[in-house]
Amino acid sequence: MERENSNKKLLTSVSCHFQRLKAAIHYTVGRLCQQAAADHEREFSRQAIAALAEITFRQCDIFATDLEAFARHAKRQTVTADDVKLLARRSAALSNYIQQKSEELAQNNQEQKERRKKNAAKRKTKSSTENEADMAMEP
Amino acid sequence: MAGAGPETIFKKETVSKVLTLFFKDDKTKASNDAVSLMAEMLKIFVIEAAQRAMKQAENEDSLGVDLEHVEKVLPQLLLDF
C-alpha cells in the first residue's frame, strides 16, 4: 500500500515535471512567434502557437534520441558539440550556422579559461607579496 | 511587449532537462557546449516554423496565422530538420 502510494507520488512528480517543461517551451515558442509576427505585422492564433510548442517538444524527442545514438556510436556517455553538429548535417545552411556558433563558444571558453588563469596567477602573486609583507612586518 | 529585451532564447536549464528527460539511458549526459548549441538549434527550428507558417498565411491572404497554416507547412518542415 505504502509502496503504491510512493509510486503514485513519483508518477505525479514525473508528470508534473513533464508539464512544467512543456510550459517552459510553450512560453519561449510564444515569445519567438510574437517577435517574428511583429516584424511582419501578422498575428499568431493561440492554437497555432500551441501546435508549434507541441511540435517543438516532440522534435526534442527526436533530437535527443539521435544525439544519444551519436554519442553511443562514438563510445561516449556524454553528448558533445560534435554530436550536435552531426545532428545539423542535413541542411547546409543550418550546418554552417551551428559550426559558426560552436566556434564562437569554443573561443569564449578559451578566453574565459585564460582570464581565470590570469586571475589565479594574480591572486597568487598578491598573496605571495602579502606574505612577504607579513614576513617583513615580523622582526 | 516581446522584443523589448535582448533576443529570446531557450533557457539552457530547460534544454538540458528536456534532453535528459528524453535520453533512453539514464547515464547519458549532455555537455555544456552541446546544450548551448541545442538551444540555438531549437530557436532556429521555431523561427523557421513561424516564418513558413507566416508565408503560408500571406499566400492565403490572411492576416492571422492559424492552425491550418501550421498544418500545411509541417510536413516539409519536419523533412528539413
Side-chain angles (χ1 to χ4, degrees):
Chain A
M1 186 66 192
E2 211 167 70
R3 189 192 266 174
E4 208 170 81
N5 265 346
S6 72
N7 267 350
K8 210 179 260 174
K9 216 181 261 172
L10 197 71
L11 216 69
T12 47
S13 88
V14 163
S15 84
C16 173
H17 197 61
F18 206 74
Q19 292 300 328
R20 286 178 55 148
L21 283 174
K22 265 193 173 179
I25 287 187
H26 190 292
Y27 168 75
T28 312
V29 169
R31 286 276 303 267
L32 284 169
C33 282
Q34 269 180 359
Q35 274 174 14
D39 295 342
H40 292 252
E41 289 168 358
R42 253 156 236 285
E43 209 174 329
F44 277 83
S45 75
R46 300 179 63 141
Q47 289 101 319
I49 290 180
L52 283 175
E54 185 67 31
I55 292 164
T56 312
F57 196 67
R58 304 230 174 157
Q59 191 66 24
C60 277
D61 189 355
I62 297 172
F63 283 159
T65 317
D66 280 354
L67 285 175
E68 191 176 25
F70 294 156
R72 184 168 301 171
H73 184 74
K75 298 190 173 57
R76 275 189 269 106
Q77 294 256 328
T78 313
V79 172
T80 64
D82 285 339
D83 297 325
V84 184
K85 280 183 209 160
L86 206 55
L87 189 68
R89 76 197 176 283
R90 249 182 287 192
S91 136
L94 182 64
S95 179
N96 285 339
Y97 181 78
I98 291 291
Q99 179 76 34
Q100 185 196 327
K101 281 281 165 193
S102 157
E103 276 163 19
E104 273 173 31
L105 269 178
Q107 206 170 1
N108 275 352
N109 284 349
Q110 193 84 28
E111 274 170 18
Q112 245 168 32
K113 211 183 258 174
E114 267 168 28
R115 212 173 298 150
R116 221 172 286 152
K117 216 185 249 172
K118 225 182 251 174
N119 276 352
K122 217 184 262 172
R123 224 172 291 142
K124 219 177 198 175
T125 52
K126 203 178 176 190
S127 65
S128 68
T129 49
E130 265 170 15
N131 277 348
E132 275 166 24
D134 284 348
M135 296 276 266
M137 286 285 275
E138 278 170 22
Chain B
M1 257 294 282
E7 62 166 348
T8 314
I9 195 162
F10 284 97
K11 272 193 193 162
K12 280 176 82 175
E13 203 187 335
T14 314
V15 177
S16 165
K17 277 188 181 165
V18 171
L19 285 180
T20 37
L21 174 75
F22 283 128
F23 286 151
K24 306 288 178 289
D25 194 341
D26 292 338
K27 284 183 209 147
T28 315
K29 287 187 281 296
S31 78
N32 221 348
D33 284 4
V35 171
S36 304
L37 282 182
M38 274 313 286
E40 203 60 48
M41 186 136 160
L42 284 173
K43 190 191 87 181
I44 296 289
F45 178 76
V46 174
I47 290 179
E48 184 71 29
Q51 295 285 0
R52 288 185 191 201
M54 279 197 299
K55 188 87 189 159
Q56 183 65 31
E58 197 183 317
N59 287 343
E60 291 179 22
D61 201 19
S62 126
L63 262 180
V65 183
D66 228 328
L67 188 57
E68 53 171 326
H69 305 125
V70 178
E71 279 172 358
K72 277 178 193 161
V73 298
L74 183 57
Q76 192 56 48
L77 179 79
L78 292 185
L79 281 174
D80 287 340
F81 275 85

